[in-house]
Amino acid sequence: MLHSHPRDAFLSRTDLRYSLRVPGFVNSVVPTFAQPPTDPSLWGWWQYVDDWSSCSPPVTDPACPKATVITFDAEGVREVHGY
């Protein structure tokens, strides 16, 4: 899950309580949403195993399988292709 916060990159109480708690699920927070850094290494990254643990950003490698991106918004739920 990728979302942003006004200032710092952290998992809020809402994030900790309501994010998907599925083993392997990755949660990322982009800080300073008014002027977000474009370098993903400056975002916050966590992976759920038995609890949330900080992790490194995923590596973009042509040999790796493409990511599955699901978008939830006012227009509904859909898979975004091309990642």
Side-chain angles (χ1 to χ4, degrees), residues 11-69:
L11 290 180
S12 67
R13 279 193 282 170
T14 301
D15 297 332
L16 291 168
R17 186 169 182 175
Y18 297 108
S19 292
L20 291 175
R21 299 171 71 84
V22 176
F25 187 77
V26 175
N27 202 335
S28 179
V29 178
V30 180
T32 58
F33 61 64
Q35 293 182 312
T38 57
D39 180 355
S41 69
L42 299 174
W43 306 352
W45 293 91
W46 295 268
Q47 185 171 31
Y48 189 83
V49 180
D50 293 323
D51 199 358
W52 292 106
S53 300
S54 62
C55 66
S56 299
V59 175
T60 303
D61 181 341
C64 292
K66 300 287 185 186
T68 300
V69 177

